[in-house]
Amino acid sequence: NETVSKNFIEQIIDKDIEEGHCQKVVTRFPPEPNGYLHIGHAKSILLNYGLAKEYNGQFNMRFDDTNPTKEKVEFVDSIKKDVEWLGAKWNGDVLFASNYFPQMYEAAIRLIKKGKAYVDDLSAEEIRQYRGTLTEPGKESPYRERSVEENLKLFEEMKEGKYADGEKVLRAKIDMASPNINMRDPIIYRVAHMTHHRTGDEWCIYPMYDFAHPIEDAVEGITHSICTLEFEDHRPLYDWVIIETGYKTSPEENPKQIEFAKLYLTNVVTGKRYIKKLVEDGVVDGWDDPRLVSIAALRRRGFTPESIKMFVDLVGVTKAQGSVEYPMLEYCIREDLKLKVKRMMAILDPVKLVIDNYPEDQVEYMDVANNQENPEMGTRKVPFTKELYIEREDFMEEPPKKYFRMFPGNEVRLMNAYYVTCTGVDKDENGNITCIHCTYDPETKGGNFTGRKVKGTIHWVSASRGINAEVRLYDNIVDEEKGVYNEDGSMNINPNSLTILKNCVLEPELANARPEDRFQFVRNGYFCVDNKDSKGNVLVFNRIVSLKSSFKL
Ligand code: ATP
Ligand code: MG
Ligand code: MG
């Protein structure tokens, strides 16, 4: 039965369609352009876009820019880029709530004329006191009974700039005794002599969120206005505004507000002011630092839109608040990249290996599968030479039991190449190994020789043909033992969240890698070319995730 697997929002939509409240589903993503988007916003974007697509409807991209204090064009641009990158295609042009300031103003006039709104002279502090508490009803303002004519005149004067910020507000006239505090004559317009990033100085009165948002939805013909749980108590006000301003006649009609639980990740920093502090303190190199979970950071780290979609789908849509572990996101990127990216050889901590019996100037090109699990990705040629680099940890002079990699006298497989037997090492005056020596068996070419068994297989890169790169390895920026935040508002930062490896050696083919290209580096994980610091012939790779998983479905 299909309806069983539908989430609660789909069930509401189905019912609305059945009851004739909606012909075409119209959803929107309505960010305030006051910051960068993070993984939580991705859930909202993909949810709204996904529903529109599923129901052959329409998805609007609308900036909720009704509060000029914190809004900036810079954020408009970054948000658009992130939504596009996630693959959520919006209908037509990008929309701005500020375009509807005239409709909002007209709607306020209609309320005044119906006796449903009044200009109040109380101060913000007095209004707060008069509003009452959960256990105590509110008190009516002495200005509540002003005549329609007086209210129209005063509101007009507010608009004309006659009053200073905070001197007067317009309030909805609902019910000061309502058990829902949001319904106790909420402020719907305030005076604010501020320059708006789009409308400039055209307006000096600005609508409050609870008044503006329903009108934005109504003007655009949004049918399902999906928001997060903290707005549940605002829903009666949402319906009140739309009904009283004449855009619908009952709560059953659309637009309709539906709330779902926010997406939270365990042990990550998402709060704007906390990220700001990390940037200011130089702990991270910007809002897109690969250790953060802004969309820009996830993109820079190497996550794909598909992996984020998979993650959001796995989490699901519910009304139950919970927190999801970061390893689940890592699981999704591994799943997504497994069959998609080339598996390359890259040495992160190089030590030289010399094959003493290999011809001095010979170069052989080994045929290597680009992805053993996906033969469609074809093969490539990888140069093999007398001098190679291998990982320092793939050699031990005195190995413990069960160490099957290189040690004196042991034979191992050089991946896709030859069997080699370690014959000894060179050391510097401090006893550090500078070079490992071995001999190879020409019979074993290709690495799948069956004449005798070897237990260890290690990867390698030609010393003369390999290219240099910087590789960055990441750990959680948060000290997971202690949790993110302390009671005093400080954070528990892991001092070792970034490891920079400057002398890595990669297969020559990686010289062609472009920013945001992704690869598996065999045995080391999945990597992505950094889109900020990788330029020209300076290659910088970020480790997206290691190969091993602690998360199981
Ligand atoms: P702020 O008001 O401080 O900017 P915000 O970023 O949560 O906080 P918006 O910019 O209005 O607020 O967010 C845009 C949309 O993204 C809203 O519809 C909001 O419900 C949704 N959203 C925000 N955070 C999350 C989250 N963690 N999980 C799911 N949806 C979210
Ligand atoms: Mg925001
Ligand atoms: Mg908000």
Side-chain angles (χ1 to χ4, degrees):
N1 185 331
E2 205 188 325
T3 53
V4 173
S5 62
K6 288 197 171 183
N7 67 45
F8 80 99
I9 299 180
E10 293 166 316
Q11 291 175 26
I12 293 173
I13 295 177
D14 284 346
K15 190 157 172 280
D16 280 352
I17 292 170
E18 210 177 288
E19 292 176 356
H21 295 307
C22 128
Q23 274 75 52
K24 176 178 159 192
V25 172
V26 185
T27 61
R28 87 286 175 262
F29 176 61
E32 202 187 335
N34 64 355
Y36 291 94
L37 299 183
H38 55 65
I39 182 81
H41 295 110
K43 177 167 181 175
S44 170
I45 293 163
L46 294 170
L47 173 63
N48 280 292
Y49 171 68
L51 287 168
K53 208 168 144 191
E54 177 186 346
Y55 287 93
N56 281 314
Q58 177 179 317
F59 170 67
N60 287 2
M61 173 71 225
R62 178 215 306 154
F63 285 97
D64 200 347
D65 59 345
T66 54
N67 177 9
T69 21
K70 297 177 290 179
E71 296 164 2
K72 279 205 233 146
V73 178
E74 174 198 347
F75 296 126
V76 170
D77 295 338
S78 75
I79 290 172
K80 265 165 38 182
K81 181 174 173 186
D82 290 347
V83 174
E84 249 165 3
W85 179 77
L86 281 172
K89 293 184 195 65
W90 57 80
N91 178 71
D93 292 333
V94 169
L95 304 170
F96 291 88
S98 56
N99 287 357
Y100 319 138
F101 282 157
Q103 285 99 317
M104 293 172 193
Y105 178 74
E106 290 303 323
I109 300 275
R110 289 202 291 283
L111 289 184
I112 296 174
K113 287 184 174 163
K114 286 169 77 178
K116 299 278 185 167
Y118 61 96
V119 173
D120 198 348
D121 297 2
L122 292 182
S123 69
E125 183 47 37
E126 287 166 322
I127 290 175
R128 203 170 308 126
Q129 282 167 8
Y130 276 52
R131 191 173 291 138
T133 62
L134 276 177
T135 51
E136 201 186 307
K139 207 166 81 184
E140 293 185 356
S141 164
Y143 304 98
R144 197 172 196 264
E145 298 309 327
R146 276 177 164 151
S147 69
V148 169
E149 288 65 36
E150 190 182 4
N151 282 319
L152 284 173
K153 177 175 147 277
L154 291 172
F155 187 50
E156 174 76 19
E157 286 173 357
M158 280 169 65
K159 177 175 176 267
E160 295 307 318
K162 203 171 160 191
Y163 304 109
D165 294 7
E167 208 177 327
K168 284 186 168 40
V169 293
L170 185 70
R171 296 178 72 177
K173 194 172 185 178
I174 309 179
D175 179 6
M176 289 306 291
S178 171
N180 183 341
I181 294 180
N182 295 301
M183 300 298 272
R184 294 182 189 169
D185 292 9
I187 298 171
I188 59 178
Y189 260 98
R190 66 195 167 116
V191 176
H193 293 271
M194 273 184 292
T195 305
H196 186 279
H197 71 106
R198 287 179 59 85
T199 58
D201 295 321
E202 197 180 328
W203 296 87
C204 65
I205 53 170
Y206 290 96
M208 303 302 286
Y209 177 89
D210 280 335
F211 179 68
H213 206 87
I215 294 179
E216 293 158 30
D217 287 342
V219 167
E220 288 178 16
I222 299 298
T223 54
H224 298 88
S225 177
I226 298 165
C227 64
T228 46
L229 230 41
E230 70 271 26
F231 290 99
E232 200 164 21
D233 289 348
H234 297 238
R235 195 187 331 142
L237 179 53
Y238 180 93
D239 285 326
W240 185 93
V241 169
I242 298 182
I243 293 169
E244 295 300 338
T245 57
Y247 286 103
K248 69 176 183 181
T249 58
S250 80
E252 285 65 47
E253 289 172 30
N254 297 123
K256 182 175 284 181
Q257 178 181 299
I258 305 172
E259 311 86 18
F260 73 102
K262 272 194 175 181
L263 171 60
Y264 286 110
L265 274 175
T266 311
N267 283 328
V268 304
V269 187
T270 48
K272 279 194 211 31
R273 68 190 173 98
Y274 292 100
I275 292 178
K276 197 157 166 271
K277 179 145 179 20
L278 293 177
V279 175
E280 282 165 3
D281 293 353
V283 177
V284 297
D285 80 353
W287 289 77
D288 59 354
D289 187 287
R291 289 163 291 177
L292 298 174
V293 292
S294 66
I295 309 273
L298 293 168
R299 175 168 61 232
R300 185 172 168 203
R301 176 82 171 252
F303 284 89
T304 56
E306 293 81 2
S307 66
I308 294 173
K309 168 122 188 9
M310 189 191 302
F311 175 69
V312 161
D313 287 346
L314 269 178
V315 175
V317 183
T318 65
K319 271 191 178 277
Q321 200 66 74
S323 186
V324 185
E325 303 289 329
Y326 188 85
M328 188 161 149
L329 189 56
E330 297 186 319
Y331 165 85
C332 294
I333 188 67
R334 281 192 199 96
E335 281 299 300
D336 185 40
L337 296 183
K338 195 162 67 181
L339 301 180
K340 268 205 224 168
V341 299
K342 287 190 183 174
R343 300 180 181 181
M344 313 293 281
M345 292 193 284
I347 306 298
L348 305 190
D349 181 15
V351 63
K352 196 166 259 184
L353 177 72
V354 179
I355 308 168
D356 291 319
N357 62 339
Y358 193 85
E360 193 72 40
D361 293 319
Q362 180 168 306
V363 183
E364 284 184 273
Y365 288 88
M366 300 297 175
D367 274 312
V368 177
N370 283 325
N371 186 323
Q372 293 84 337
E373 289 183 77
N374 182 2
E376 280 178 21
M377 291 189 69
T379 61
R380 69 180 181 281
K381 304 267 186 208
V382 182
F384 184 86
T385 51
K386 181 184 180 80
E387 295 199 356
L388 307 168
Y389 284 111
I390 62 169
E391 299 284 358
R392 195 166 280 276
E393 64 168 31
D394 283 341
F395 174 83
M396 280 187 101
E397 213 167 3
E398 286 164 37
K401 266 199 182 125
K402 303 232 169 125
Y403 186 89
F404 300 122
R405 290 170 275 169
M406 256 200 179
F407 54 88
N410 191 38
E411 187 172 47
V412 298
R413 178 190 291 106
L414 292 178
M415 198 179 276
N416 307 301
Y418 289 106
Y419 287 9
V420 293
T421 304
C422 179
T423 53
V425 295
D426 297 339
K427 290 182 183 176
D428 65 14
E429 61 270 26
N430 300 318
N432 297 318
I433 293 167
T434 53
C435 180
I436 301 163
H437 290 272
C438 67
T439 56
Y440 84 119
D441 176 358
E443 287 280 295
T444 60
K445 184 167 178 181
N448 39 22
F449 177 72
T450 50
R452 55 184 187 277
K453 279 208 162 77
V454 289
K455 280 196 165 154
T457 299
I458 64 176
H459 66 286
W460 49 273
V461 170
S462 161
S464 57
R465 303 302 171 102
I467 58 165
N468 182 254
E470 176 177 324
V471 170
R472 298 173 182 172
L473 307 180
Y474 300 101
D475 236 318
N476 197 346
I477 199 165
V478 170
D479 182 337
E480 295 185 0
E481 304 277 289
K482 295 186 185 146
V484 189
Y485 307 112
N486 297 314
E487 270 177 21
D488 64 359
S490 62
M491 284 174 279
N492 297 308
I493 297 302
N494 167 12
N496 304 312
S497 59
L498 171 62
T499 306
I500 299 179
L501 304 169
K502 292 224 177 244
N503 301 313
C504 307
V505 188
L506 321 179
E507 276 185 44
E509 184 169 309
L510 285 162
N512 301 317
R514 306 263 57 94
E516 296 182 18
D517 281 354
R518 302 175 189 89
F519 302 91
Q520 185 187 111
F521 288 172
V522 292
R523 302 173 67 215
N524 281 318
Y526 290 99
F527 292 78
C528 178
V529 181
D530 190 87
N531 63 16
K532 206 166 171 180
D533 298 335
S534 204
K535 292 190 186 89
N537 52 11
V538 179
L539 267 178
V540 179
F541 282 85
N542 297 317
R543 178 151 74 185
I544 311 169
V545 67
S546 64
L547 294 177
K548 284 191 216 83
S549 175
S550 59
F551 176 83
K552 293 256 155 32
L553 256 198

